[in-house]
Amino acid sequence: MGHFTVHLTRDFLAPPETIFAGWTNPDWHARFETPEGSGMRHEGYDTRAGGTEIVAIEHEGTRIGEMIDEIRVCDPPHRLLVQGRGVFGGACRMTMQTLVEFEPHGDGTRMHCTSQIAALDDQPTEAQVTEGWTTMLDRFETLLNEDAT
């Protein structure tokens, strides 16, 4: 079993209200978290406290698992706390708790993303989660920039 914490910080040139609204927008979330060709597909995203997000994970067109996330705290525009589990082969193979915080920083927003992971079979690795978060934040920033133009 592997366990680790990943923490990333990213600065954006928009106020916290704008960043929080973009991050919790279901259409945007699907685009930056599960874009076409990623092997993942959004099946729902309800950001209210108690709401759920379900992401199907596929390989060569066959569903091999899913991430089921429960929104534990939704405090616009300050924080979002998500507790999730990865289910593969009918069994829970990983758990994750993620805190995303949005704070004013200069003329924009500083976003802190902290994920605590416990995974059976040492999958995913810390490097994979870090790369996934970095890619997601890059895609989010692209959407934000496209929306500003």
Side-chain angles (χ1 to χ4, degrees), residues 30-147:
R31 290 174 59 196
F32 69 76
E33 185 178 42
T34 60
E36 191 171 324
S38 68
M40 299 183 295
R41 181 175 34 85
H42 256 245
E43 293 185 342
Y45 185 48
D46 177 354
T47 58
R48 295 173 294 176
T52 59
E53 173 188 29
I54 299 174
V55 175
I57 301 169
E58 300 174 341
H59 180 70
E60 296 179 356
T62 301
R63 186 180 188 128
I64 60 170
E66 60 192 13
M67 286 298 300
I68 304 164
D69 296 330
E70 181 181 345
I71 310 305
R72 306 294 285 177
V73 175
C74 183
D75 179 21
H78 310 289
R79 70 193 53 79
L80 192 65
L81 178 64
V82 179
Q83 196 166 30
R85 64 189 186 281
V87 178
F88 298 87
C92 181
R93 305 302 297 166
M94 69 170 285
T95 61
M96 176 170 46
Q97 182 163 294
T98 300
L99 176 64
V100 184
E101 298 174 289
F102 308 80
E103 66 181 12
H105 181 71
D107 291 335
T109 301
R110 177 160 285 167
M111 182 180 190
H112 300 277
C113 307
T114 305
S115 287
Q116 297 173 313
I117 313 283
L120 299 175
D121 305 323
D122 296 323
Q123 292 293 322
T125 66
E126 184 173 349
Q128 289 170 324
V129 172
T130 300
E131 180 182 347
W133 266 103
T134 300
T135 301
M136 245 185 358
L137 289 168
D138 290 345
R139 287 193 292 247
F140 177 73
E141 190 164 19
T142 298
L143 286 173
L144 193 64
N145 291 336
E146 287 172 0
D147 190 59

